[in-house]
Amino acid sequence: MLGIGWRSWGMGLLLAALLARGASAQSPAGPAFHDAHYHPTDYIQQETALPEFLGMMGDRVGRVALMGIPLQQKWDWFESGDRAPDYYLRSDAALYYYPFVDAMVAEAVLALPPEQQVRFDPMITGFNPTDMYATDHIRRVLRLYPGVFSGIGEFSIHKEVVTPKTVGHMASLRNPALDRILEFAGDVGLLTLIHNDVDVVLPHAGARPTHFDPFIEVVRRHPGTTILWAHAGLGRFVEPTPGYVGMLEELLRDEGLSHLYLDLSWDVVAEQIVAPPETLAAWISLVDRWPDRFILGSDAVVATQADSYLGALEVWRPLLDGLDPAASAKVRLGNYERLFDSARIRVRAWEAAQTEQSRRPR
């Protein structure tokens, strides 16, 4: 154990040195954002070329969490003929899990020089959250690509349109496979990003959002796992109810949920929050009171132009500019560094322990 501790300490020093090199290579003033939610592959597994993407990031974005889309849109000729679909809303055909996406992301990162690799935090996504063997996939990826991944996700449980289209058993908060995944992530130190809509597309008027309490129950069962709630539970069709900010305040005040963080990402969600003046004011007040619990992302998918990519972060500007400057800095930069740096160190230590264990005589 002493050897593992010293190894982790050395890895921490190396990480700090590489981060310093990456920062000095960007801008004396430092970046404006880190991006906690970027998809370098899409629903037909087209990829972002990371050298080109670094050019889009420029000096404005320091680090980016890379999460391949774990689902492949099937091209079902009997459904769409010669029209090849490229997005789940452009086809009635099924989606299926695509495990190879993790190798695609890892290989793309490893092809970069070290001073560029350090600007990315890859996440494992290519597992089926309804499968009790999902943890074996995650473990296998970590062993095959040590030193690469920082977390798991974004993976979806309840997601409008996507969940019912996905082949196999429907993902559910009640499935013990999810608990198994979250337990393993906590043991390893993997940061975990979950997409779980807070409600159904056509909610019951006046009722508490359908998935809010079941989701919180799952989170509460795993206090050792750092969980990011994608889009703070909102979506393209799932919008905040009038009392939603109060419900989020409720969970942020709960000491048993201190390991839960809210991901602010996706331009369609940003529009729901920043456009109505009364809604924006309520969210500014909420984030100002809990600045350590929010993290910013673009949710961009295979960006091709810097303007559109940076715009997916800048769309949050009305919220960010309304915050106390210290709170804004935490949401844009500080919380990302704290959470992902901790995950890197913990996961590297777990990997080192696995390597040492495998070398022991049997």
Side-chain angles (χ1 to χ4, degrees):
M1 293 298 293
L2 180 62
I4 295 171
W6 277 103
R7 186 182 292 108
S8 301
W9 179 77
M11 288 179 180
L13 291 179
L14 176 60
L15 172 61
L18 286 172
L19 288 172
R21 286 176 62 188
S24 64
Q26 293 168 41
S27 168
F33 307 99
H34 297 312
D35 183 353
H37 193 141
Y38 178 72
H39 299 289
T41 72
D42 62 13
Y43 280 89
I44 57 171
Q45 304 307 322
Q46 296 180 123
E47 296 181 75
T48 298
L50 292 186
E52 294 177 10
F53 182 58
L54 282 161
M56 298 179 217
M57 293 164 57
D59 293 337
R60 296 284 292 163
V61 180
R63 291 166 61 185
V64 175
L66 299 177
M67 46 199 74
I69 297 288
L71 295 168
Q72 166 78 32
Q73 175 64 65
K74 181 182 179 183
W75 183 357
D76 190 332
W77 193 91
F78 292 100
E79 189 275 327
S80 59
D82 292 332
R83 178 182 53 81
D86 60 0
Y87 190 55
Y88 65 87
L89 290 179
R90 295 195 179 102
S91 171
D92 291 331
L95 300 163
Y96 59 91
Y97 291 102
Y98 191 77
F100 190 66
V101 68
D102 294 322
M104 294 167 61
V105 171
E107 293 291 341
V109 171
L110 291 172
L112 299 171
E115 64 271 16
Q116 293 179 352
Q117 290 182 31
V118 78
R119 296 183 67 182
F120 294 115
D121 289 278
M123 309 282 275
I124 298 170
T125 63
F127 56 89
N128 181 341
T130 73
D131 186 354
M132 295 289 280
Y133 278 127
T135 52
D136 290 345
H137 172 88
I138 297 168
R139 183 183 293 106
R140 197 173 296 122
V141 171
L142 290 172
R143 288 178 172 170
L144 187 61
Y145 292 106
V148 173
F149 290 95
S150 301
I152 60 173
E154 179 192 24
F155 68 95
S156 298
I157 303 301
H158 293 291
K159 182 175 182 179
E160 51 196 15
V161 182
V162 168
T163 300
K165 284 188 65 173
T166 304
V167 170
H169 197 78
M170 186 176 293
S172 168
L173 294 168
R174 297 181 176 88
N175 194 322
L178 176 60
D179 286 292
R180 187 177 172 93
I181 291 166
L182 295 177
E183 188 71 22
F184 181 71
D187 291 343
V188 178
L190 292 159
L191 199 58
T192 301
L193 177 64
I194 304 177
H195 183 124
N196 190 86
D197 294 337
V198 72
D199 212 341
V200 293
V201 174
L202 292 176
H204 301 282
R208 196 167 172 88
T210 302
H211 303 309
F212 183 87
D213 292 322
F215 177 72
I216 296 308
E217 289 173 10
V218 170
V219 174
R220 195 183 301 280
R221 288 201 295 269
H222 300 279
T225 306
T226 302
I227 297 173
L228 309 179
W229 192 3
H231 326 301
L234 305 175
R236 185 186 300 277
F237 307 113
V238 176
E239 299 184 354
T241 57
Y244 194 54
V245 168
M247 296 181 69
L248 295 180
E249 177 92 30
E250 173 188 322
L251 67 86
L252 291 171
R253 288 185 180 278
D254 191 328
E255 293 182 0
L257 299 172
S258 61
H259 56 296
L260 176 63
Y261 296 80
L262 302 180
D263 157 280
L264 298 177
S265 64
W266 201 2
D267 53 359
V268 298
V269 172
E271 291 168 7
Q272 297 170 10
I273 292 173
V274 306
E278 66 281 2
T279 303
L280 175 59
W283 278 82
I284 288 173
S285 178
L286 177 70
V287 179
D288 258 337
R289 291 195 299 276
W290 303 94
D292 295 324
R293 304 287 291 280
F294 291 85
I295 193 165
L296 189 71
S298 68
D299 197 24
V301 181
V302 190
T304 58
Q305 296 182 344
D307 287 348
S308 61
Y309 168 62
L310 295 174
L313 293 165
E314 289 289 350
V315 71
W316 294 95
R317 183 58 66 182
L319 173 69
L320 297 170
D321 286 351
L323 298 174
D324 175 86
S328 177
K330 287 182 178 181
V331 174
R332 290 181 294 107
L333 298 165
N335 294 339
Y336 182 110
E337 293 169 5
R338 175 168 55 88
L339 294 175
F340 279 93
D341 288 356
S342 175
R344 283 183 176 187
I345 292 170
R346 288 188 62 194
V347 176
R348 298 296 85 80
W350 181 89
E351 291 169 343
Q354 298 300 302
T355 301
E356 187 162 310
Q357 185 176 18
S358 67
R359 290 175 177 170
R360 291 175 183 168
R362 296 184 183 276

